[in-house]
Amino acid sequence: MHIPQNLQIKSFAEYKQWYKQSVENPEKFWDEIANQFLWKKKWNKTLEYDFNTPKVSWFKGGKLNITENCLDRHLEKLGNKTAIIWEPNDPDEETRHITYRQLYVKVSHFANVLKNNGIKKGDRVCLYMPMIPELAIAMLACARVGAVHSIVFAGFSSTAIASRINDSECKMLITANEVYRGNKRVNLKEMCDEALKQTPSIETVIVYRRTVEPTPMKSNRDKFWFDELQKVSKDCAAEEMDAEDLLFILYTSGSTGKPKGMVHTTGGYMVGSTFTFQNVFQPNENDIYWCTADIGWITGHSYIIYGPLCAGATTVMFEGIPSYPDYGRFWEICDKLNVTHFYTAPTAIRALAKHPLDYVKKHNLQSLKILGSVGEPINEEAWHWYNDHIGNGNCPIVDTWWQTETGAIMISPLAGITPTRPTFATLPLPGVQLALMDENGIEIEQKPIQAEGRLAIKFPWPSMARSVYNDHERYKNVYFSQFKGKYFTGDGAYRDATGNYRITGRVDDVVIVSGHNLGTAPIENAINEHELVAESAIVGFPHEVKGTALCAYITLHEGHNESDKLTSEIKKLVADTIGPIAKPDKIIFVGGLPKTRSGKIMRRILRKIASNETDALGDISTLLNPDVVDEIIVAFGK
Ligand code: PRX
């Protein structure tokens, strides 16, 4: 394979040595890794940073195009190797195999469509697409011409699309007419049309026809993918990008209402995503690697597309859902495609573990060598089910901790190389300098003793997000203000006596539902839009399948009462504003919310009530309105 061997750590001793070097001389370490890639011009400064400003730049002055690393450089040796295997929603529809050469041609061809429609280096392009190869082609085509892609998960609502398009003033929207999801067909174009009523920056919409259904098109604005291809040639030279030029924006939830457009740049992201892919998953030449995430999330960006393709691997894209046509679909695909690496989320494992084992046993899973987990803490029970029934006790499980903001895996075992431990993400990857902070903001030194604290990172790494789009102040406030000179992750962590980390969950107002990062504020804002709602508070509570689910406590304006109709209107409002994933599992109408004397809602108390921990409410006497607590407990128990 085209993987330079010196990118891969091959023993635990080597891991320790690499880690040590990466801390002692980070610039030399990353220089050597970055040298393994194809650059049009070498950088003159490996790292410049200041965590107070904050400003970080890697490989300054270096020129490259990431698609030359994903595609062009593989053509000679891997041109006929399969780059993408696409598995459709319907098991009877044909699987598509796209070689590196074919992908190269398709990307170049579509890149010319972008150019022909006025897209230039630096322009933002929004992608709202299903899990079809054309999503990969469109994102790589953006990168080829130097346009910045902003992918919006195709489960988000029209309001969410519009706010993301407007925030980064996208010039073009690429979508599909419809998407298949299980036995449903969802009309994406309709959702886009609704969003497009409020997005003045969009000049062109390119529509891929996934189904034959008639699709209303607006003349001069909407164009079909295939028609546009007919107008242009198939050769497209890759635009020269600076290492610090934007590659993509990806929105993630924050503690306030507005999503944050995390900015990722070209050189560092490429080096980080590829290096971690190589080391965490340890792929070999003929492996078939499958990450079940949607490309609309960071996991799909880094570990379906950029990391695997830069490494010359074969990556699987699945259009459907794990329960269609039955709960054995994942395992049927592993069997059919001889999948060697399987990377999924704990919520999927828990959902599938609830169904009879026959769904697993019907399929031959002998091709599997390595299993991965991402997105939320994996509980002991799910870990063992995954290990015993999917891995047959033979496959290392890499529990990978990272974030949209980190761009690449930060803490994880290296499959088969470093030890695993159930529920622990274990050790930091080379180049990742973690810090566990106590409640006074002091770093808890690494001693051979266990400790718990807030997780921070004290040195830059190449794939880190450089800013929040158009709001650098927010980037500074959210990530660099909590602990001076350090990046704050928002997560809590436990470290055992040997230095293994277990992530204990968010310590801020972000809730991880089924592995999806949801801010409480945007959901509350959506609920508060209802004319009868006075106030609302969203908290997370433990859920058997989702890991954490959402509970909404709502107060109504005087003279109005709760009703089933109101409950469904509120759920619909959330689904329409954010997306169905943000719909609360429980809605509790209450007479008042517990508040501090300064008027701040005490979510801690609401969280305890939702988690049935009413005997651990702590001191409530300082509340402005302690009486509401008993009332809320009663309302919750109804
Ligand atoms: O709380 C952590 C959790 O997911 C958050 C990041 O979410 P997002 O940006 O959407 O990216 C998800 C995919 C990388 C983290 O702050 N998280 C992610 N992976 C793990 C995890 N929690 C525990 N264990 C993990 N392996």
Side-chain angles (χ1 to χ4, degrees):
M1 173 144 59
H2 201 58
I3 300 176
Q5 283 309 304
N6 44 351
L7 263 188
Q8 269 182 4
I9 297 167
K10 284 294 172 200
S11 68
F12 194 21
E14 214 169 85
Y15 159 78
K16 289 180 190 158
Q17 196 190 340
W18 284 45
Y19 188 81
K20 190 160 173 277
Q21 284 168 5
S22 78
V23 174
E24 286 172 357
N25 196 342
E27 298 192 34
K28 179 163 177 287
F29 176 83
W30 287 112
D31 247 12
E32 279 176 25
I33 307 289
N35 267 328
Q36 312 291 321
F37 293 80
L38 182 66
W39 296 80
K40 289 177 190 278
K41 178 175 165 284
K42 180 146 183 179
W43 55 98
N44 25 52
K45 185 93 177 70
T46 306
L47 170 65
E48 268 178 14
Y49 86 103
D50 170 5
F51 268 2
N52 295 315
T53 324
K55 168 97 184 111
V56 175
S57 101
W58 282 93
F59 314 116
K60 195 171 179 180
K63 304 283 181 195
L64 74 158
N65 188 292
I66 195 169
T67 68
E68 288 189 328
N69 284 273
C70 290
L71 303 169
D72 307 44
R73 73 171 168 150
H74 299 317
L75 293 181
E76 196 189 337
K77 291 199 181 113
L78 305 177
N80 295 327
K81 176 172 176 173
T82 302
I84 296 179
I85 305 179
W86 176 71
E87 184 62 26
N89 175 65
D90 179 351
D92 293 332
E93 192 179 336
E94 207 172 322
T95 304
R96 282 169 72 183
H97 294 258
I98 302 172
T99 66
Y100 272 95
R101 185 168 304 282
Q102 288 166 337
L103 187 60
Y104 162 81
V105 173
K106 284 175 188 293
V107 168
S108 305
H109 197 180
F110 192 70
N112 284 330
V113 168
L114 298 179
K115 281 187 175 174
N116 199 35
N117 281 283
I119 295 299
K120 299 178 305 299
K121 178 173 174 175
D123 286 342
R124 274 82 56 212
V125 176
C126 178
L127 275 58
Y128 184 72
M129 295 186 77
M131 284 288 286
I132 52 175
E134 285 67 26
L135 168 52
I137 292 164
M139 73 195 279
L140 291 166
C142 286
R144 189 126 187 123
V145 304
V148 179
H149 56 71
S150 166
I151 306 185
V152 176
F153 170 60
F156 276 127
S157 69
S158 52
T159 318
I161 309 171
S163 69
R164 285 159 175 76
I165 288 177
N166 290 337
D167 184 67
S168 47
E169 291 170 303
C170 295
K171 227 167 127 176
M172 177 186 271
L173 170 63
I174 306 176
T175 188
N177 61 340
E178 295 192 312
V179 50
Y180 291 112
R181 239 176 241 143
N183 52 16
K184 281 198 255 170
R185 243 183 23 221
V186 182
N187 193 322
L188 294 185
K189 177 64 169 43
E190 225 168 64
M191 198 72 97
C192 290
D193 284 341
E194 194 53 40
L196 286 159
K197 289 180 186 160
Q198 323 156 41
T199 55
S201 59
I202 296 284
E203 293 169 9
T204 315
V205 181
I206 307 278
V207 183
Y208 181 82
R209 248 184 208 284
R210 173 68 185 103
T211 67
V212 293
E213 293 305 303
T215 305
M217 301 284 274
K218 184 169 171 190
S219 65
N220 294 331
R221 186 196 68 185
D222 301 353
K223 302 170 182 186
F224 280 118
W225 176 290
F226 284 112
D227 296 346
E228 291 307 292
L229 283 178
Q230 309 313 315
K231 301 178 188 164
V232 293
S233 83
K234 291 184 178 169
D235 300 313
C236 180
E239 188 74 32
E240 184 173 283
M241 306 296 285
D242 192 275
E244 283 297 333
D245 278 340
L246 266 65
L247 174 63
F248 65 85
I249 301 169
L250 185 59
Y251 286 86
T252 187
S253 316
S255 316
T256 66
K258 208 170 153 224
K260 295 171 289 202
M262 301 315 303
V263 168
H264 281 284
T265 58
T266 309
Y269 175 80
M270 170 182 77
V271 170
S273 57
T274 311
F275 173 74
T276 51
F277 174 73
Q278 299 280 33
N279 281 293
V280 171
F281 296 103
Q282 297 281 319
N284 284 319
E285 179 138 7
N286 297 316
D287 285 344
I288 308 287
Y289 162 88
W290 180 19
C291 164
T292 69
D294 191 286
I295 292 178
W297 311 114
I298 191 69
T299 310
H301 282 60
S302 302
Y303 300 108
I304 298 180
I305 302 297
Y306 288 116
L309 294 181
C310 274
T314 298
T315 180
V316 175
M317 267 180 88
F318 174 43
E319 184 187 37
I321 53 174
S323 54
Y324 179 80
D326 66 34
Y327 291 100
R329 187 70 194 277
F330 273 180
W331 324 125
E332 183 228 314
I333 296 174
C334 287
D335 188 353
K336 173 174 165 189
L337 304 179
N338 285 317
V339 170
T340 53
H341 292 64
F342 180 77
Y343 186 29
T344 197
T347 184
I349 300 167
R350 287 191 297 264
L352 296 172
K354 276 186 26 175
H355 298 280
L357 264 181
D358 289 352
Y359 287 116
V360 179
K361 290 194 174 142
K362 264 202 295 208
H363 307 285
N364 181 344
L365 296 180
Q366 292 210 328
S367 58
L368 286 175
K369 294 193 292 194
I370 287 155
L371 302 177
S373 168
V374 61
E376 58 184 308
I378 177 164
N379 50 309
E380 191 103 21
E381 208 182 337
W383 195 97
H384 286 292
W385 188 87
Y386 201 26
N387 184 55
D388 299 349
H389 301 298
I390 307 306
N392 197 18
N394 291 323
C395 302
I397 297 179
V398 290
D399 176 0
T400 64
W401 176 85
W402 58 298
Q403 308 177 297
T404 305
E405 295 85 340
T406 68
I409 296 170
M410 304 295 276
I411 312 180
S412 171
L414 310 185
I417 306 288
T418 66
T420 62
R421 181 171 173 197
T423 77
F424 279 72
T426 72
L427 299 169
L429 262 66
V432 177
Q433 299 190 33
L434 302 174
L436 210 50
M437 312 299 290
D438 71 14
E439 62 273 23
N440 301 315
I442 311 287
E443 183 176 350
I444 310 169
E445 289 301 329
Q446 169 98 52
K447 282 182 266 166
I449 185 166
Q450 65 269 41
E452 197 161 344
R454 295 179 170 221
L455 188 64
I457 304 172
K458 54 187 175 183
F459 197 82
W461 62 101
S463 63
M464 67 188 287
R466 302 294 195 260
S467 191
V468 169
Y469 194 80
N470 255 341
D471 198 351
H472 198 67
E473 205 47 36
R474 191 168 177 201
Y475 175 68
K476 180 178 174 171
N477 288 337
V478 175
Y479 303 104
F480 295 92
S481 304
Q482 187 105 358
F483 306 119
K484 198 170 159 40
K486 295 185 177 67
Y487 166 90
F488 176 46
T489 64
D491 280 329
Y494 165 84
R495 184 173 59 210
D496 74 7
T498 47
N500 287 306
Y501 286 83
R502 176 167 74 197
I503 307 302
T504 49
R506 300 292 306 188
V507 293
D508 57 9
D509 285 339
V510 170
V511 184
I512 312 276
V513 179
S514 298
H516 296 143
N517 192 332
L518 299 172
T520 52
I523 307 173
E524 289 166 6
N525 292 349
I527 294 175
N528 297 347
E529 286 294 302
H530 195 288
E531 54 179 6
L532 302 189
V533 171
E535 231 181 354
S536 64
I538 291 277
V539 296
F541 67 97
H543 186 278
E544 205 189 334
V545 172
K546 299 181 176 186
T548 308
L550 298 175
C551 174
Y553 294 92
I554 296 176
T555 62
L556 298 175
H557 288 302
E558 283 280 326
H560 295 283
N561 293 322
E562 60 179 282
S563 66
D564 290 347
K565 180 168 166 278
L566 185 56
T567 303
S568 40
E569 279 171 8
I570 288 170
K571 285 194 176 171
K572 181 166 183 318
L573 196 54
V574 174
D576 290 349
T577 318
I578 300 164
I581 46 170
K583 276 196 287 193
D585 272 63
K586 283 189 188 163
I587 292 186
I588 317 283
F589 293 97
V590 292
L593 296 171
K595 293 200 178 157
T596 61
R597 290 187 189 274
S598 59
K600 194 170 179 290
I601 298 172
M602 287 287 278
R603 287 188 173 70
R604 184 179 55 80
I605 292 175
L606 296 173
R607 220 175 279 134
K608 295 260 185 229
I609 298 173
S611 310
N612 281 325
E613 293 174 25
T614 41
D615 46 354
L617 290 182
D619 183 13
I620 55 168
S621 62
T622 56
L623 289 178
L624 185 67
N625 49 353
D627 314 343
V628 296
V629 174
D630 279 339
E631 194 197 311
I632 295 172
I633 295 173
V634 172
F636 188 83
K638 270 207 281 192

